[in-house]
Amino acid sequence: MSLDDMKRLVRQHIELSWNKGRLALAEQLQSKDFLYKSSFISRPFTSNGYSQMVANIRDAMPDLEVVVEECIAEGNKVVTWCTLIGSIQKPALGYPPSDKVLSISAMAFWTFNSLGEVQEICTMFDMESFRAQLGLSTQHLAEKALP
């Protein structure tokens, strides 16, 4: 599989799952041993857990749009920088509803297996900016590092 093919599949996966909610189609791009890891969940999810999480977030944020800002591939990996845009209309992941339109940056590392399937996604979200946009308390880096 070429680097361009991998980038195309990543963009397709994002479009199917996050933007359109076509989770069964997105699952077809994933391996049987697929894992999702993220900075905002405590344990990895399998394909079913990932689909349920996306469905829950989409339900809470029906106006959600994920924009791929950058997509880079090397070897069997793709790295994306995305911006999630939308408002929380129902409580989600412990956060309250808000009429504010939020803009959340996320980086994701996608790993492909030898069959050209997505085997793992590992994401990091800018949660401090997200919390600040919601008007919730944040900690400065120096405060976090001090005992």
Side-chain angles (χ1 to χ4, degrees):
M1 174 175 276
S2 75
L3 298 178
D4 285 337
D5 288 339
M6 289 190 312
K7 291 192 296 187
R8 182 183 52 75
L9 280 175
V10 164
R11 288 177 184 274
Q12 182 181 15
H13 192 281
I14 291 168
E15 188 65 22
L16 288 171
S17 58
W18 290 100
N19 289 336
K20 293 185 177 174
R22 306 287 307 269
L23 298 167
L25 290 176
E27 280 187 42
Q28 293 178 14
L29 303 176
Q30 299 166 187
S31 66
K32 292 185 190 315
D33 60 344
F34 172 83
L35 282 180
Y36 176 76
K37 302 172 184 175
S38 179
S39 60
F40 69 86
I41 59 173
S42 60
R43 60 179 173 70
F45 287 153
T46 62
S47 189
N48 289 337
Y50 172 77
S51 291
Q52 187 60 54
M53 178 201 66
V54 172
N56 291 343
I57 292 172
R58 285 181 45 78
D59 182 55
M61 299 179 73
D63 60 346
L64 178 66
E65 179 184 359
V66 177
V67 178
V68 178
E69 307 286 354
E70 191 73 52
C71 189
I72 301 168
E74 183 175 317
N76 70 330
K77 299 205 184 288
V78 173
V79 177
T80 55
W81 163 38
C82 294
T83 303
L84 290 76
I85 303 165
S87 58
I88 301 175
Q89 296 178 15
K90 296 179 187 175
L93 301 171
Y95 292 98
S98 172
D99 59 354
K100 297 177 182 176
V101 175
L102 306 170
S103 175
I104 309 155
S105 289
M107 299 286 294
F109 296 84
W110 303 67
T111 303
F112 284 81
N113 66 16
S114 61
L115 300 174
E117 300 166 323
V118 178
Q119 187 168 18
E120 182 176 293
I121 306 171
C122 182
T123 60
M124 293 177 287
F125 290 84
D126 183 355
M127 297 306 287
E128 287 301 300
S129 171
F130 172 69
R131 291 178 57 77
Q133 289 175 63
L134 285 173
L136 302 172
S137 65
T138 61
Q139 289 183 311
H140 296 285
L141 290 176
E143 293 171 350
K144 290 180 188 177
L146 296 174

